[in-house]
Amino acid sequence: MTPDFPAPRTDWCLFLDFDGTLVEIAESPDAVRAERHLAATLTAISARLGGAVAIVSGRPIAEVERHLDHEGFPAAGLHGLEMRMRAGQPISRVDVSAPDKGIRDALASFAAGRPGLLFEDKGIALALHYRARPDLADACRDAVKDAVARHGNLQVLEGKMVFEVKPAAADKGRAVRRFMDEAPFAGRVPVFAGDDVTDEDGFRAAAAFGGFGIKIGAGETAARWRIGTVAEFLRWLVAMPGRLDRAARETAAP
């Protein structure tokens, strides 16, 4: 069912989370599967929005592109610690210190001793996944807090079945604001779609620029609109190129 959102407009720009928004969440980061049409759909939407479509993810940009089988979209990775401002540009990285070896070793050791946990080293950020062991949520929370207790420059993000540790210098809201300062996003109405707590900064940033958020799934949110599932959201995206074409014709009509 198509959600009762405002009709797509040609002056929009889109910011799209990846896991839980464009792909279903899986038991491990490598297990996700993107729909075969997804990259083509995003390309078609981008062409109608003047290139103003960006992926904004907690994953590294290269990892998102591997799953999409497409390179070059504007993107923010690692919650904005990596940025590609325009299609085809190189990826830039925020100059901050990554979590030190002591934190890495502590979390890797904690996960290794508990079957079902997954420690993910993203370089400049770390993640402790407990999707296969929800009974260990509290223990994971305590382990992460203990590991970073004496490191004031780090932020702990509690997402869906995951705790992430990253430098405090970036979040998805800041990434949106950086995009909105430059073409092709500047002057457009931002629409941010996401499913998790880490997307709330993006929803608030979109609203600050006169746009809105779309929350996929349940939970309290700052987003103005909500849709129940990834599948429903993807159907909405698939229909968007045609709806944007109609909007362009109506705007051009005398």
Side-chain angles (χ1 to χ4, degrees):
M1 181 175 65
T2 301
D4 187 24
F5 298 149
R9 292 175 9 193
T10 56
D11 65 345
W12 281 7
C13 55
L14 289 185
F15 299 104
L16 304 168
D17 173 46
F18 187 67
D19 293 272
T21 301
L22 296 179
V23 297
E24 299 283 0
I25 292 176
E27 287 196 0
S28 69
D30 283 339
V32 301
R33 293 291 181 268
E35 297 286 344
R36 285 182 297 174
H37 63 76
L38 181 56
T41 295
L42 297 179
T43 299
I45 296 170
S46 180
R48 289 156 174 82
L49 296 181
V53 174
I55 309 296
V56 182
S57 175
R59 291 179 183 257
I61 292 173
E63 194 173 297
V64 172
E65 292 180 334
R66 176 170 59 82
H67 286 290
L68 285 175
D69 194 24
H70 184 286
E71 295 182 359
F73 284 122
L78 299 173
H79 305 279
L81 292 167
E82 295 182 340
M83 300 284 294
R84 176 190 288 122
M85 301 304 298
R86 302 187 67 169
Q89 287 186 343
I91 296 170
S92 63
R93 292 173 176 82
V94 176
D95 186 16
V96 293
S97 297
D100 67 25
K101 184 176 183 298
I103 297 174
R104 283 177 160 77
D105 290 348
L107 295 181
S109 177
F110 179 81
R114 292 161 180 83
L117 297 186
L118 173 64
F119 171 68
E120 183 184 10
D121 189 339
K122 304 179 184 181
I124 203 168
L126 311 172
L128 182 62
H129 299 267
Y130 60 95
R131 180 161 297 276
R133 290 294 306 274
D135 57 304
L136 293 179
D138 290 340
C140 290
R141 183 183 294 107
D142 291 343
V144 171
K145 287 183 177 179
D146 288 346
V148 304
R150 291 177 295 279
H151 300 268
N153 62 330
L154 296 176
Q155 180 183 16
V156 176
L157 300 176
E158 185 169 350
K160 289 183 176 177
M161 301 292 186
V162 62
F163 292 96
E164 295 192 59
V165 178
K166 70 174 187 64
D171 59 52
K172 292 185 178 183
R174 295 184 201 185
V176 168
R177 290 191 286 274
R178 284 190 63 190
F179 280 121
M180 294 301 294
D181 283 340
E182 298 189 20
F185 301 91
R188 290 179 170 270
V189 177
V191 178
F192 191 107
D195 73 304
D196 208 347
V197 175
T198 59
D199 298 309
E200 295 295 322
D201 291 322
F203 298 150
R204 286 187 283 267
F209 282 91
F212 58 88
I214 300 171
K215 167 82 169 181
I216 291 86
E220 292 186 10
T221 184
R224 187 187 307 171
W225 302 93
R226 187 189 302 273
I227 188 167
T229 67
V230 171
E232 288 177 294
F233 183 68
L234 291 178
R235 286 196 291 272
W236 184 70
L237 286 179
V238 167
M240 188 177 289
R243 299 180 74 186
L244 287 170
D245 287 342
R246 288 193 294 274
R249 289 194 297 269
E250 290 168 2
T251 301

